[in-house]
Amino acid sequence: MKFRSAHRFDAVTEETLRRRQSAKWARFPADVLPAWVAEMDFPLADPIRAALRTALELDDSGYAYPQGLPSVFARWADARWGWKVGEGDVFVVPDVVTGLGALLGVVTKPGERVVIEPPVYAPFASTVREMGRVVVEAPLLPPRDGAGFSLDLEAIERAYASGARAHVLCSPHNPSGIVHRRETLARVAELAERYGVMVLSDEIHAPLTLTGATHVPFPTVSEEARRCSIVLTSASKTWNLAGFKSAVLVAGSEEGRAVLAKLSPETSYHAGHFGVMAAKVAFEEGEPWRAEVLAILERNRLLLGELLAEHLPAVTWTPMQASYLAWLDCRALGLGEDPARAFLAQGRVALSPGPTFGTGGTGFARLNIATTAALLEEAVKRMAAATRG
């Protein structure tokens, strides 16, 4: 296939990528092409690489000092979304999942109910259960009338009315890639305030919102939303920094600040030193690189549609509105409940198994498109070969 356009990131070779020791490239044998976990194959942003190199040259490898990151994030959030965040509204944690567990320990009690909207990022459900809380599902509505997945507001209200105390909202949503509309989020906030639910909004993929959609930070939707929510986010997905361990929890009201005040101050110091450093550089100097990433992701989103039409026309999907994770409906292929298993065994390409995302994931697989045009084409061709095998 003739690629739509060349980009400097396309110069990254598979040989170079296989020298990496991260989970994406180390988990499977060398004959497997990995396209599963949310890691990018692109080179780091130059300012981040320079800052880390300087730290190594100075043997600056001690504990994290999280002060400084809150104000940097606040300036970035204002510039990006007009979201006014006070420095005292930001609490540093090692990662979003760790932050989620800490928040659940404050806003809920053992045995209380927590809402999720599957199919959704698997650690949500596992963290709720590990904390001794009860998962309550409000599954997404399936695509219809040409639109993609959407929140089921009636199901969310039923879940709230059942006694839920918290809602782990995925915004933008992983794995469906949808960006929730402002009016939808406003309705969630109305319901949350009515039923006394704290919305814990995971917005880690928000900076990767693509053309055609607009992300709205949950607390900015309405006064109700500001009062009943805390945002969890990080530079990790956008600037490919997951291994450095740094994320933030963001309040926007007295209620949210009261929750953050109950968290152990020691939690912030468990963040990675390089993670805090890299996040500060990302928010201060990483916009040119982010713009490049958005451009290549939009190119790859179009390319994936062409590749599927050519090689796997039975697979259906709604192009993601944010991030680089494509949620593929493979049920028509006849590969069983977990098509990723067949893609791996028969095609030697690794996708994330749909069933791990919970209710609604059967027959689906998640494909990571944050790679070169050549490797994206190779991944789809291997998937097609698996159906023939």
Side-chain angles (χ1 to χ4, degrees):
M1 168 173 288
K2 183 178 180 181
F3 304 140
R4 284 183 168 271
S5 61
H7 189 280
R8 69 184 183 95
F9 289 176
D10 287 320
V12 177
T13 66
E14 183 177 348
E15 179 183 9
T16 298
L17 291 168
R18 290 199 180 278
R19 294 171 59 191
R20 295 185 179 182
Q21 299 180 53
S22 63
K24 180 180 181 181
W25 287 94
R27 177 175 175 179
F28 294 99
D31 68 326
V32 173
L33 181 63
W36 60 294
V37 74
E39 294 181 22
M40 295 184 187
D41 291 342
F42 308 140
L44 279 178
D46 289 339
I48 294 174
R49 183 187 291 107
L52 296 173
R53 183 180 291 118
T54 298
L56 290 172
E57 290 171 351
L58 295 172
D59 301 314
D60 182 6
S61 56
Y63 291 106
Y65 186 65
Q67 282 75 5
L69 179 55
S71 60
V72 170
F73 173 79
R75 289 194 297 272
W76 186 84
D78 187 13
R80 176 97 300 271
W81 293 302
W83 179 17
K84 306 299 182 183
V85 174
E87 185 174 346
D89 294 342
V90 183
F91 188 92
V92 177
V93 293
D95 54 59
V96 162
V97 174
T98 299
L100 174 61
L103 288 172
L104 288 174
V106 172
V107 303
T108 64
K109 298 175 182 178
E112 289 189 330
R113 301 160 76 84
V114 179
V115 181
I116 63 172
E117 63 270 348
V120 73
Y121 185 54
F124 288 174
S126 60
T127 300
V128 170
R129 294 185 177 111
E130 287 167 7
M131 294 292 296
R133 278 62 172 170
V134 177
V135 171
V136 181
E137 296 187 347
L140 294 180
L141 291 171
R144 57 185 176 182
D145 301 327
F149 289 88
S150 60
L151 293 178
D152 186 337
L153 293 172
E154 293 182 359
I156 288 173
E157 182 169 12
R158 289 194 298 271
Y160 286 4
S162 75
R165 296 272 62 86
H167 177 182
V168 185
L169 177 71
C170 200
S171 178
H173 189 273
N174 170 20
S176 72
I178 59 173
V179 174
H180 305 306
R181 298 170 63 88
R182 176 184 288 272
E183 53 266 34
T184 300
L185 295 175
R187 178 59 177 157
V188 171
E190 290 174 12
L191 294 170
E193 184 155 79
R194 180 189 308 170
Y195 290 99
V197 173
M198 177 63 75
V199 178
L200 308 177
S201 185
D202 172 11
E203 303 190 7
I204 197 169
H205 295 278
L208 292 173
T209 299
L210 304 174
T211 300
T214 301
H215 172 75
V216 183
F218 190 88
T220 69
V221 166
S222 64
E223 280 300 307
E224 294 94 337
R226 187 176 62 82
R227 287 192 294 266
C228 72
S229 68
I230 293 176
V231 168
L232 305 90
T233 192
S234 172
S236 62
K237 288 293 183 286
T238 301
W239 283 276
N240 207 33
L241 304 172
F244 292 131
K245 292 299 177 184
S246 172
V248 292
L249 312 179
V250 188
S253 65
E254 292 183 8
E255 293 85 350
R257 285 188 287 273
V259 170
L260 297 187
K262 294 178 182 178
L263 300 175
S264 169
E266 297 299 318
T267 304
S268 292
Y269 292 93
H270 291 303
H273 175 42
F274 283 180
V276 171
M277 184 188 310
K280 288 167 63 178
V281 176
F283 290 129
E284 289 184 314
E285 304 177 52
E287 282 301 285
W289 190 89
R290 188 178 73 94
E292 281 195 89
V293 166
L294 291 174
I296 196 171
L297 293 182
E298 292 185 358
R299 191 275 314 263
N300 283 1
R301 180 173 61 172
L302 292 170
L303 178 58
L304 177 61
E306 295 175 359
L307 290 167
L308 291 174
E310 180 178 353
H311 300 285
L312 285 168
V315 171
T316 58
W317 71 307
T318 301
M320 70 285 283
Q321 295 176 309
S323 199
Y324 47 84
L325 305 168
W327 187 233
L328 306 180
D329 184 347
C330 305
R331 289 175 291 182
L333 297 177
L335 298 178
E337 294 186 354
D338 182 8
R341 180 178 299 177
F343 294 143
L344 178 60
Q346 315 282 354
R348 310 307 288 164
V349 56
L351 277 65
S352 296
T356 63
F357 295 89
T359 300
T362 298
F364 284 75
R366 194 189 71 178
L367 171 69
N368 181 343
I369 70 166
T371 188
T372 68
L375 289 179
L376 179 56
E377 180 175 27
E378 176 66 17
V380 175
K381 285 182 175 178
R382 290 190 183 205
M383 292 165 63
T387 66
R388 296 190 295 271

